[in-house]
């Protein structure tokens, strides 16, 4: 009995320390401390619900759902278990499952105004989803919206003083003026925005799903991770490392948009560089270059606000043209998420993926965009609820099977902007410092110089930006949880 009481009081100490870590935004540490509390007392639903909340903050929605479900199993009357699980379902776009959880919260806490507000938003989201499903045109009958746009016919008003494209060629002078206008929170004329996005679409459509990049001896190549709409940090990367050009080429490895509230500025800048110098700017698809994510995490709302409805559909079409992976000098494999649920995947299998669609919920394309490394060998369930976790042995076998040296991926915020795992054979790079204005992390990019291709990692801190909060354009219900 005394031992039991001692464990319970130690567990409470761990919980208090975990709460402090959580309040200081040290979410990984908070998870470790809640785990220690659970190991001493696994009959306390609060520990699971709190750990679920920390997982939510780290976007580990699969783990959050598991913990919230465990909290409900331990104490079916604990409303926060349903509340946390509903929040995780919402974040994954699983509105119907979220609705069930918030209905349960409302039943248990009928006078909770916060729960009522979230239930109402959830009901609205489900109604909207049903309506969209009802009016949706079948895929095979859909004509690309890009085919119906003639940007040449759009007049530019005489009073427009922003950046202009003269004819069909995007020049460096235009891109610099546009970037400067964006820096001063001015808009680009829709005519030129259409021109950039349509020209980029044509270029991306012509590329394979796995793009080969050749870096000649003595030349260098820079790989950046997630930027997530943090435009002013993107400008800082170019300040630190030079503008993209044939002599100074970049790969941006997915998740250009969402969360940060300057996603339109980021995507138009990256696309403009692609138009100006195709071999100076490579772009890979991330899990956030998808309709489902853009609906929830702000890009769709931002595009509507800064451009118009036509652009929402157009960006969706262009995102479906983005390549899924890149290969430097046949030695370094670069992908947004990670590796696969089966062994024996060859580069030829990746080249053969028909990528011109919204990402599926399973299979090679899904795993390339969503998977994460894990410290343990083998494979495990994804902490995100999509894709999987893979160990060092999986990385090693993939590299051996394809005669490669290194995997570079992004997809996860890291305190130092990068992390080296799997016996040095896998590097995560993340280029959005102080992610969402609250994580306190550094950003990083990697420079490779041929022929050695040794990774030279450069880290940097966040720079100030205008007072527009992250998620400013996100779905209303998601802002309720931010």
């Amino acid at each position: 009995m005394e031992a039991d009481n001692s464990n319970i009081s130690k567990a409470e100490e761990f919980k208090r320390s975990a709460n402090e870590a959580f309040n200081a935004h040290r979410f990984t540490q908070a998870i470790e401390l809640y785990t220690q509390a659970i190991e001493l007392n696994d009959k306390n639903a609060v520990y699971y619900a709190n750990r679920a909340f920390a997982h939510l903050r780290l976007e580990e929605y699969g783990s959050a759902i598991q913990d919230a479900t465990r909290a409900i199993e331990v104490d079916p009357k604990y409303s926060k278990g349903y509340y946390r699980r509903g929040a995780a379902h919402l974040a994954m776009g699983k509105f119907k499952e979220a609705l069930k959880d918030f209905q349960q919260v409302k039943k248990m806490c009928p006078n909770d105004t916060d729960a009522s507000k979230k239930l109402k938003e959830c009901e609205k989201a489900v109604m909207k989803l049903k309506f969209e499903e009802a009016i949706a045109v079948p895929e095979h009958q859909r004509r690309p919206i890009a085919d119906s746009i003639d940007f040449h016919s759009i007049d530019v008003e005489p009073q427009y003083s922003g950046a202009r494209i003269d004819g069909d060629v995007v020049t460096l002078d235009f891109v610099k003026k546009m970037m400067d206008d964006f820096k001063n929170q001015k808009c680009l004329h829709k005519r030129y925005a259409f021109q950039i996005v349509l020209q980029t679409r044509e270029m991306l459509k012509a590329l394979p799903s796995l793009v080969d990049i050749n870096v000649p001896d003595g030349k260098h190549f820079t790989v950046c991770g997630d930027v997530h709409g943090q435009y002013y940090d993107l400008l800082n990367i170019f300040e630190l490392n030079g503008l993209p050009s044939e002599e100074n080429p970049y790969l941006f490895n997915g998740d250009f948009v969402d969360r940060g509230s300057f996603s339109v500025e980021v995507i138009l800048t990256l696309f403009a560089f692609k138009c100006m110098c195709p071999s100076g700017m490579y772009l890979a698809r991330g899990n956030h270059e998808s309709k489902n994510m853009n609906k929830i995490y702000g890009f769709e709302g931002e595009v509507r606000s800064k451009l118009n409805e036509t652009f929402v559909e157009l960006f969706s079409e262009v995102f479906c043209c983005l390549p899924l992976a890149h290969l430097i000098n046949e030695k370094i494999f670069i992908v947004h998420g990670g590796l696969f649920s089966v062994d024996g995947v060859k580069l030829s299998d990746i080249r053969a993926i028909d990528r011109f669609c919204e990402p599926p919920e399973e299979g090679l394309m899904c795993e390339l965009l969503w998977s994460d490394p894990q410290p343990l060998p083998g494979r495990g369930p994804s902490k995100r609820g999509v894709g999987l976790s893979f160990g060092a042995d999986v990385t090693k076998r993939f590299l051996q099977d394809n005669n490669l040296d290194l995997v570079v991926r992004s997809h996860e915020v890291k305190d130092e902007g990068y992390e080296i795992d799997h016996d040095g054979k896998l590097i995560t790079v993340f280029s959005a410092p102080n992610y969402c204005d609250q994580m306190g992390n550094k950003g990083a990019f990697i420079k490779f110089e041929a022929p050695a291709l040794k990774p030279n990692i450069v880290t940097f801190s966040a720079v100030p930006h205008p007072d527009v909060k992250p998620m400013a354009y996100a779905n209303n219900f998601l802002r309720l949880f931010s």
Side-chain angles (χ1 to χ4, degrees):
M1 194 63 172
E2 266 180 42
D4 280 356
N5 287 340
S6 160
N7 279 354
I8 286 166
S9 95
K10 272 187 200 158
E12 278 298 297
E13 278 174 38
F14 278 124
K15 185 193 91 168
R16 276 192 292 276
S17 301
N19 289 351
E20 283 169 20
F22 184 97
N23 291 332
H25 294 169
R26 296 195 304 273
F27 303 118
T28 304
Q29 187 188 358
I31 287 167
E32 288 165 6
L33 290 162
Y34 289 130
T35 302
Q36 286 174 279
I38 288 165
E39 283 165 359
L40 290 166
N41 177 13
D42 64 357
K43 297 289 185 284
N44 190 322
V46 176
Y47 301 165
Y48 291 105
N50 285 9
R51 191 169 70 177
F53 199 10
H55 281 303
L56 277 167
R57 284 284 185 254
L58 289 175
E59 301 174 26
E60 297 171 354
Y61 304 125
S63 297
I65 287 168
Q66 279 181 337
D67 271 347
T69 302
R70 186 75 186 104
I72 293 162
E73 287 165 359
V74 169
D75 182 358
K77 292 192 173 72
Y78 185 55
S79 63
K80 268 198 181 155
Y82 293 99
Y83 187 97
R84 298 277 182 251
R85 192 170 70 182
H89 278 138
L90 269 182
M92 292 177 74
K94 296 187 172 181
F95 303 123
K96 290 168 188 170
E97 291 90 333
L99 184 60
K100 285 179 197 163
D101 282 327
F102 287 119
Q103 283 168 339
Q104 190 65 34
V105 175
K106 178 73 176 154
K107 199 186 290 180
M108 295 165 89
C109 314
N111 302 319
D112 185 331
T113 54
D114 182 59
S116 301
K117 201 193 289 182
K118 289 191 168 74
L119 176 60
K120 205 168 280 180
E121 285 300 328
C122 213
E123 285 168 344
K124 272 198 264 181
V126 171
M127 289 292 288
K128 191 175 175 220
L129 195 67
K130 283 181 180 166
F131 175 71
E132 284 170 356
E133 283 169 0
I135 63 164
V137 178
E139 197 68 49
H140 65 278
Q141 291 176 19
R142 245 179 250 166
R143 183 168 166 252
I145 202 152
D147 295 349
S148 65
I149 300 164
D150 175 17
F151 66 84
H152 295 99
S153 66
I154 301 171
D155 291 328
V156 180
E157 302 77 11
Q159 65 270 31
Y160 173 72
S161 61
R164 291 170 181 260
I165 302 171
D166 191 12
D168 286 340
V169 179
V170 174
T171 63
L172 180 58
D173 284 345
F174 162 79
V175 181
K176 283 179 173 174
K177 165 78 171 135
M178 181 188 74
M179 286 164 65
D180 212 42
D181 286 349
F182 285 160
K183 190 178 177 181
N184 296 311
Q185 293 187 276
K186 293 178 186 167
C187 293
L188 180 66
H189 197 281
K190 290 182 183 61
R191 175 196 164 111
Y192 305 123
F194 273 128
Q195 184 170 345
I196 288 165
V197 179
L198 290 166
Q199 284 186 12
T200 303
R201 177 177 176 265
E202 289 310 303
M203 286 179 189
L204 296 175
K205 263 171 66 181
L207 295 171
S209 291
L210 172 60
V211 175
D212 286 284
I213 297 167
N214 178 47
V215 183
D217 287 2
K219 301 291 184 185
H220 65 266
F221 190 89
T222 301
V223 179
C224 295
D226 306 34
V227 178
H228 273 303
Q230 295 186 196
Y231 180 68
Y232 295 83
D233 293 307
L234 175 67
L235 293 184
N236 188 38
I237 291 172
F238 294 150
E239 195 73 33
L240 295 169
N241 195 54
L243 292 176
S245 68
E246 244 170 70
E247 291 299 304
N248 190 34
Y250 282 81
L251 163 61
F252 281 84
N253 196 28
D255 284 12
F256 324 120
V257 301
D258 278 340
R259 295 201 174 269
S261 295
F262 303 96
S263 292
V264 166
E265 290 82 355
V266 166
I267 199 70
L268 288 176
T269 299
L270 296 178
F271 280 7
F273 274 116
K274 184 69 184 167
C275 294
M276 184 199 94
C277 182
S279 60
M281 176 61 73
Y282 294 86
L283 300 165
R285 194 172 193 174
N287 62 304
H288 276 266
E289 277 71 53
S290 71
K291 261 186 196 173
N292 196 22
M293 293 288 111
N294 297 162
K295 254 184 214 318
I296 302 170
Y297 290 98
F299 185 57
E300 188 178 293
E302 187 183 337
V303 170
R304 272 202 194 95
S305 170
K306 293 178 181 176
L307 294 165
N308 61 30
E309 188 66 42
T310 307
F311 276 96
V312 172
E313 196 56 43
L314 181 59
F315 276 117
S316 288
E317 288 178 9
V318 180
F319 289 165
C320 289
C321 301
L322 285 161
L324 302 177
H326 290 76
L327 193 61
I328 298 179
N329 291 6
E330 300 182 347
K331 285 296 169 194
I332 298 173
F333 179 73
I334 307 171
V335 67
H336 178 71
L339 300 181
F340 311 103
S341 53
V342 291
D343 285 334
V345 175
K346 291 293 204 307
L347 297 179
S348 55
D349 298 318
I350 298 165
R351 292 185 208 282
I353 295 170
D354 180 6
R355 71 182 188 277
F356 297 96
C357 60
E358 287 301 312
E361 291 202 4
E362 57 184 19
L364 297 187
M365 181 170 167
C366 167
E367 289 160 6
L368 284 164
L369 299 181
W370 279 96
S371 294
D372 295 292
Q374 64 178 28
L376 296 171
R379 295 176 171 91
S382 166
K383 56 195 174 188
R384 299 171 191 270
V386 189
L388 68 140
S389 297
F390 59 95
D393 55 330
V394 175
T395 300
K396 187 179 173 188
R397 273 197 301 274
F398 174 76
L399 292 173
Q400 282 173 347
D401 288 349
N402 291 287
N403 194 25
L404 302 169
D405 292 341
L406 180 68
V407 174
V408 175
R409 44 89 62 182
S410 303
H411 195 41
E412 283 182 288
V413 60
K414 297 294 178 186
D415 287 345
E416 292 302 312
Y418 74 97
E419 192 165 88
I420 301 172
D421 289 300
H422 294 183
D423 307 316
K425 295 294 183 189
L426 181 141
I427 304 178
T428 298
V429 60
F430 192 84
S431 304
N434 194 25
Y435 180 45
C436 291
D437 284 359
Q438 64 166 359
M439 297 298 280
N441 60 293
K442 287 180 180 166
F445 54 82
I446 309 176
K447 287 187 86 161
F448 293 98
E449 189 166 325
L453 296 179
K454 290 270 184 293
N456 174 24
I457 300 170
V458 179
T459 65
F460 56 95
S461 298
V463 295
H465 63 75
D467 189 21
V468 185
K469 299 283 180 278
M471 307 286 276
Y473 301 93
N475 233 321
N476 192 31
F477 61 74
L478 207 65
R479 283 205 302 279
L480 294 174
F481 288 94
S482 291

